[in-house]
Amino acid sequence: MSENAESRLNVLGLELPTASGPAAKYANYVIVGGLMYVSGKGPFGNPKGKLGAEFTTEQGYQYAREAGIQVLAVLREALGSLDKVKRVVKVQGFVNATADFDEHHKVLNGFSDLMMEVFADQGLHARSVFGAVSVRDNLPIIVDSIFQVEDGQQ
């Protein structure tokens, strides 16, 4: 596979959308001390519903992957290139799920797998996943993330 994130993205055949903006009064991202904190992102098209009711684990995996594409779009817009990402540091997933749903980790793998595909070894990250009674706009998943970026990024 290619040597950098931008070329890996091309090999994967992924075209990034325009970065979505914040859903309320907060920053889309903040960079401090070489770390870029990306606010929570959800899947394309604002699907509504819960894992374990309206959606399957497999659908949730795809939604988490789509949230990852949204995050990549924010990174590229902010940094100019995904190649300025040194490492994926931390990922947190909030899965809108029924009380008996227990495959949150499999859902968030959609995001994690994408980070590994794009950033290779630097895509391996720490993570947490939580089941939520509700999330913004009744989305099936929201993912927030932290990245180490090249020094000098504002």
Side-chain angles (χ1 to χ4, degrees):
M1 206 173 238
S2 302
E3 293 185 23
N4 63 45
E6 288 289 340
S7 59
R8 279 190 289 275
L9 194 69
N10 289 331
V11 168
L12 292 167
L14 292 175
E15 289 189 34
L16 298 182
T18 301
S20 62
K25 293 184 179 180
Y26 56 86
N28 217 15
Y29 65 90
V30 172
I31 299 174
V32 63
L35 295 176
M36 181 171 172
Y37 299 79
V38 180
S39 294
K41 295 293 175 190
F44 303 127
N46 295 317
K48 311 270 187 229
K50 291 185 177 291
L51 277 289
E54 290 81 13
F55 303 116
T56 66
T57 300
E58 294 75 20
Q59 288 171 304
Y61 177 96
Q62 184 59 39
Y63 290 143
R65 187 173 177 88
E66 291 175 7
I69 292 170
Q70 298 276 25
V71 168
L72 293 175
V74 172
L75 290 166
R76 182 188 276 161
E77 183 177 286
L79 303 172
S81 171
L82 296 180
D83 295 334
K84 293 184 179 178
V85 173
K86 290 180 162 184
R87 175 166 195 108
V88 183
V89 176
K90 173 76 178 192
V91 171
Q92 289 186 303
F94 301 89
V95 178
N96 188 7
T98 60
D100 61 342
F101 185 78
D102 64 358
E103 295 189 323
H104 307 78
H105 59 294
K106 292 180 182 178
V107 169
L108 193 54
N109 281 346
F111 187 100
S112 295
D113 288 348
L114 178 65
M115 294 301 115
M116 292 292 296
E117 291 167 17
V118 173
F119 297 110
D121 291 343
Q122 286 69 37
L124 186 62
H125 51 270
R127 78 175 203 185
S128 302
V129 62
F130 306 95
V133 173
S134 68
V135 300
R136 171 181 58 82
D137 296 330
N138 198 28
L139 295 172
I141 186 168
I142 293 178
V143 182
D144 69 2
S145 44
I146 304 169
F147 299 82
Q148 182 184 20
V149 297
E150 287 184 6
D151 293 338
Q153 298 299 319
Q154 297 302 324

